[in-house]
Amino acid sequence: MTEVIILARLCTVECADGSIVKNARIFYDGENLIYRNADGEIIDGVKTHGAEIINRVSNLSLISYKERTQ
């Protein structure tokens, strides 16, 4: 089973359809970013517009890199 870690919370995320989701969370499964809305449902996030980064500054670098290379 893949370990999933939380990278950020209280995010504003732009989705592939152009909609904006507030209070989202960003997770990482070792390969991909996983965006979830406040209800825990997976959303099709493509860009983060603000976030409270969890634990390390390196999480911000990882989010930025993965969003640029998707």
Side-chain angles (χ1 to χ4, degrees):
M1 184 173 189
T2 303
E3 181 180 351
V4 176
I5 59 170
I6 186 167
L7 299 180
R9 62 181 175 209
L10 301 175
C11 306
T12 300
V13 173
E14 182 179 339
C15 294
D17 66 2
S19 64
I20 300 292
V21 176
K22 295 186 178 193
N23 296 321
R25 292 171 290 163
I26 303 174
F27 298 85
Y28 185 62
D29 67 2
E31 188 174 322
N32 300 299
L33 296 178
I34 302 165
Y35 299 85
R36 293 186 179 269
N37 65 15
D39 295 327
E41 300 166 335
I42 293 176
I43 57 175
D44 191 15
V46 294
K47 184 168 173 108
T48 304
H49 292 285
E52 181 179 307
I53 303 301
I54 306 296
N55 298 330
R56 295 178 280 164
V57 174
S58 62
N59 288 352
L60 178 59
S61 297
L62 177 61
I63 292 168
S64 296
Y65 171 77
K66 291 303 249 180
E67 287 180 347
R68 281 194 320 270
T69 59
Q70 285 187 49

